[in-house]
Amino acid sequence: MAQISRMQLLRGDFKGENKPFRPPWSLPEQYFTDYCTRCDKCIEACFDELIIKGRGGYPEIDFNKGGCDFCEDCLNVCETSALKKIPDKQNDDAEADFESYLPPWQLKATINLTQCLSMNATICRSCGESCDDEAIKFNLKLGGIAEPVLDSQQCSGCGACFSVCPIQVIKINSINTQTNVA
Ligand code: SF4
Ligand code: SF4
Ligand code: SF4
């Protein structure tokens, strides 16, 4: 039976069948496991201890300890290009004076509003306060309800809101638009 991490359990992946979340700037999964030598350098480089040794010894992201600040420390120590910035060929902005790259990953947060404390007249702003991207705003309603509204365009999928939710109703999801490597 496959070993299941706490992160997988919280994602509802009880059988361990979903693809794990890899470190930021990971190649698409079919390339990642070819390029990654399981050297653990990215694991050692992450000051926030967000990268763990996952199934098969490959690195996985675990948001239980907090969110990624995209410091690039893991990217910079990867010698095999399993973690690699990929130029965004769609961005032909002639004004840009720097090369633009695809986002570090295709992850977005969602909130289960039915169970959210703030939707049930209990004061809680933990997710909004943890979001440096200001992707979560609270919409005040009658009856002491403040509805958290998550702007997925704004959301970087950093995962900072995941571990601070006291009742674990935030999920981080893959939007699964993997990009082929040039
Ligand atoms: S540094 Fe690169 S090769 Fe080493 S474990 Fe991390 S992703 Fe794999
Ligand atoms: S970018 Fe920085 S914080 Fe994010 S996983 Fe890599 S080393 Fe950790
Ligand atoms: S809403 Fe998105 S950007 Fe904001 S903390 Fe959560 S995962 Fe990060």
Side-chain angles (χ1 to χ4, degrees), residues 32 35-42 59 77-78 80 82-83:
F32 181 80
Y35 279 71
C36 175
T37 56
R38 296 173 271 189
C39 70
D40 293 351
K41 286 186 179 163
C42 56
V77 296
C78 182
T80 69
L83 310 183

Side-chain angles (χ1 to χ4, degrees), residues 24-25 45-48 50-51 61 67-74:
W25 300 284
C46 183
F47 183 78
D48 297 314
L50 302 183
I51 310 178
I61 280 283
C68 174
D69 56 13
F70 306 109
C71 67
E72 302 190 8
D73 286 352
C74 52

Side-chain angles (χ1 to χ4, degrees), residues 23-26 70 102-106 156:
W25 300 284
S26 288
F70 306 109
L102 293 175
W105 50 32
Q106 299 290 336
S156 62

Side-chain angles (χ1 to χ4, degrees), residues 36-105:
C36 175
T37 56
R38 296 173 271 189
C39 70
D40 293 351
K41 286 186 179 163
C42 56
I43 296 173
E44 291 155 13
C46 183
F47 183 78
D48 297 314
E49 299 180 354
L50 302 183
I51 310 178
I52 59 168
K53 208 168 180 65
R55 274 180 283 171
Y58 292 100
E60 296 179 8
I61 280 283
D62 182 344
F63 290 122
N64 285 302
K65 288 193 177 168
C68 174
D69 56 13
F70 306 109
C71 67
E72 302 190 8
D73 286 352
C74 52
L75 174 76
N76 291 334
V77 296
C78 182
E79 294 171 355
T80 69
S81 298
L83 310 183
K84 182 184 180 181
K85 280 188 171 178
I86 298 179
D88 182 0
K89 296 197 173 77
Q90 305 300 317
N91 189 343
D92 56 358
D93 183 359
E95 299 296 314
D97 58 357
F98 56 88
E99 192 170 10
S100 66
Y101 296 93
L102 293 175
W105 50 32

